[in-house]
Structures are given as C-alpha cells and as structure tokens.
Amino acid sequence: METLANLESFVRSAELGSFSAAARRLSVTPAAVSRNVATLETRLGVRLFQRSTRKLTLTEAGERFLFAIRGNLESLQEAIADVSADRGEPSGILKVSMSPTFGLTYILPLLPGFVARYPQIRPEWIFENRQVDLIAEGYDAAIGGGFELTPGVVARTLAPAHLIAVASPSYMHDRTPPADPAGLSAFDGIVMRSMRTGRIRHWQMRNAAGEEIAGGPREKIVLNDPAAMCRAAVLGLGVALIAKPDALPCLESGELVRLIPQWYADAGLISLYYPSRSLLPAKTRVFVNFITEEFRAQKLSARFAGSLG
C-alpha cells in the first residue's frame, strides 16, 4: 500500500502543476516531492507525469489515477486530522500571513496562550502587507481584509473593517471639527495609495441610520502603510481615514481623537482565510478555533466597529 506522503505529493503536484509549488504547500523540499512521485511511479509501473523544464503534465494514466484517488485521499486526510485533534496532539509548522500592524497589535499577543495549549505546533508567522496565495505559497492561514476568495479557500469573519477619521489634539487645537464627512475637505489629508491598483481610494461614509455622504480630507501627504498614516496623524500632520483597529491604541492613549464619530467608511471584513475544510489539518483547525474564540472573548468585533462611536 502506498504511503500517504507519496500519494499527497502526486495529488498536490498535479493540482499545482509543479513539484516546487507542491513542496511549498506541503512544507517539504522539491526534491522530496519529486522523490515521492518517482517512488509511486516505480511501484505502480507507470509514468504519471510528462516532465519538462517548463511544466509538469499528467499522462493519460496519471489523469485516471488522479481521478480515482483524489476523493479518497481527502477523506483519509480528514480522518487523520480528526483523530489527531481528538487526541489533543495537533503538530507541525503553522505558516500564517498577517499585516504587520494588525498582527503585532492583536494576534501576536495571543501566541503565548496558543503555544501553551498546543506545544507540538511550531508557529511560522509572516508579517506582510499583501494578499498571499495560500495554496500555491504553502500558507496554512492568513488574516486580513479584502482577500479574493480563490478556489479551495474559505473565510471565517472575525470583525468589520471600518475606517474612521482621526487627527491629533494638536492639529485640531485651533480648528473647528467638521459636522459631517463633506466637512473633511477643509482639512489636510494623510491618504494611502493602494499597492495593488496604484490609486488613492476615495470613500463613501455612512452612519448607523444608513445615511451616506461622500467625503474625505484633501490630499496632502500620501503614504502606503496604515501604521505610517497613524503615526503621521499623531505627529499633527493632518486628518487620516484609517481602520479602527489601527487607530484604537492611539485613541485610547489620547494621541488621536476621532472626528465625526457617528460616521465611518465600510471597507469590508477582517477575516481568517484557510484552505477548504475537507483538507484542514488539525494544526490549522485548532488555530482557526483559537483565534475566533479569542476575538469573541475579547469582544474585538464590537471594538472594531466604526458604527459604535
């Protein structure tokens, strides 16, 4: 009977089109994946892939074999993950992507409790401002907002992603606060250029009653990072529209004040992204449950809601 490693190396290589991509997904070396597939071909007595320097293509026999085993392999993986979870021994490298500001402020402080509960899991957390390809890049999960759901990826909502208008007390010292979003145009703006589109985003703001008004400060300083925007606002350089989680520590310390507190811009959701549940290993399942439980216990969804003042 073939080992699970050989079968999984074959299936992932077929799905992703290369041994290197399969290796990233499985957290092993490309040489190990290639060796597993070669062993499988030797034992079956057939060639499963046509190999070239540019791509990996299934043979006719490989197509038939993939069709025959894929569903069974997923069922076997799920059974193994369930048994491991029941024994309370999830293990392995847990590779997670998250933004630096949000991750350092809200996710990293949860790490001591997580590793104490699951000592066999080795966290490998990457702090980066980009949308990763979970499957192709071998990530177990990602935390953020605005991710496009690609095939094989699901999302669990953690909190709303609401943007609020903030400024430092020194900047507002001799200025009259705006009455509504339209009034923000009278202020110097600290704005962000999208790394993905290269454009400066303009927002429609709304209140709890459902009213909407387009508005924002005039563009004076352009940055590409929410932490930098928050710091620039603290330095008294103008008004910034930033996500409430990013602004919250400075609001609580008094370094920033919120303008037009009844109004916010809806930027979507902060979610926890991970591969399809049918393939979820125990280490990822317990991480997803742990993070969602902590967000619920700390009432972070309510704290991050811009509609709550």
Side-chain angles (χ1 to χ4, degrees), residues 137-212:
E137 297 182 55
Y139 283 89
D140 296 294
I143 299 173
F147 275 46
E148 295 179 8
L149 284 183
T150 56
V153 175
V154 295
R156 181 177 292 187
T157 299
L158 295 175
H162 289 169
L163 306 184
I164 60 173
V166 297
S168 70
S170 62
Y171 180 81
M172 295 302 300
H173 176 67
D174 56 354
R175 292 176 170 88
T176 302
D180 57 34
L184 291 173
S185 62
F187 297 85
D188 301 317
I190 303 164
V191 300
M192 184 164 70
R193 189 180 300 281
S194 171
M195 296 176 64
R196 187 169 58 183
T197 67
R199 299 176 180 175
I200 294 173
R201 181 82 179 264
H202 298 282
W203 296 98
Q204 190 86 359
M205 302 192 75
R206 63 181 63 176
N207 60 19
E211 300 174 291
E212 293 192 359

Side-chain angles (χ1 to χ4, degrees), residues 21-291:
R24 289 192 295 270
R25 180 70 186 93
L26 299 172
S27 298
V28 297
T29 66
V33 172
S34 179
R35 184 170 57 251
N36 289 343
V37 172
T39 300
L40 180 60
E41 289 178 320
T42 299
R43 291 179 178 175
L44 294 176
V46 297
R47 182 174 291 278
L48 299 172
F49 290 108
Q50 296 289 356
R51 298 161 172 83
S52 74
T53 56
R54 293 188 176 182
K55 63 179 181 177
L56 202 61
T57 306
L58 283 168
T59 63
E60 184 179 348
E63 292 275 8
R64 292 200 308 271
F65 189 60
L66 178 64
F67 179 79
I69 71 165
R70 178 185 272 162
N72 294 328
L73 177 62
E74 292 178 0
S75 298
L76 181 58
Q77 288 174 315
E78 188 170 3
I80 291 172
D82 287 342
V83 169
S84 178
D86 289 342
R87 286 166 35 211
E89 299 175 357
S91 61
I93 297 173
L94 181 71
K95 188 176 179 182
V96 183
S97 171
M98 64 194 80
S99 71
T101 304
F102 188 85
L104 290 173
T105 305
Y106 300 104
I107 307 300
L108 192 62
L110 304 179
L111 187 56
F114 182 75
V115 296
R117 187 182 301 183
Y118 303 108
Q120 299 304 313
I121 295 178
R122 194 182 91 189
E124 184 175 322
W125 291 4
I126 314 299
F127 298 88
E128 52 193 345
N129 280 321
R130 69 182 183 96
Q131 177 175 335
V132 299
D133 186 329
L134 268 71
I135 296 174
E137 297 182 55
Y139 283 89
D140 296 294
I143 299 173
F147 275 46
E148 295 179 8
L149 284 183
T150 56
V153 175
V154 295
R156 181 177 292 187
T157 299
L158 295 175
H162 289 169
L163 306 184
I164 60 173
V166 297
S168 70
S170 62
Y171 180 81
M172 295 302 300
H173 176 67
D174 56 354
R175 292 176 170 88
T176 302
D180 57 34
L184 291 173
S185 62
F187 297 85
D188 301 317
I190 303 164
V191 300
M192 184 164 70
R193 189 180 300 281
S194 171
M195 296 176 64
R196 187 169 58 183
T197 67
R199 299 176 180 175
I200 294 173
R201 181 82 179 264
H202 298 282
W203 296 98
Q204 190 86 359
M205 302 192 75
R206 63 181 63 176
N207 60 19
E211 300 174 291
E212 293 192 359
I213 298 178
R218 60 178 181 266
E219 299 167 10
K220 182 180 180 182
I221 297 174
V222 181
L223 302 171
N224 72 336
D225 180 78
M229 292 177 66
C230 192
R231 184 60 184 163
V234 169
L235 292 172
L237 296 175
V239 174
L241 277 176
I242 54 179
K244 191 176 179 184
D246 294 333
L248 203 52
C250 292
L251 290 171
E252 293 174 342
S253 69
E255 293 178 288
L256 292 177
V257 294
R258 183 174 176 181
L259 309 181
I260 51 171
Q262 299 82 11
W263 297 87
Y264 66 96
D266 189 351
L269 299 168
I270 299 169
S271 299
L272 182 50
Y273 301 87
Y274 51 94
S276 173
R277 290 182 181 86
S278 64
L279 295 175
L280 207 60
K283 62 180 181 179
T284 310
R285 181 180 289 109
V286 297
F287 174 73
V288 170
N289 291 338
F290 182 87
I291 295 298

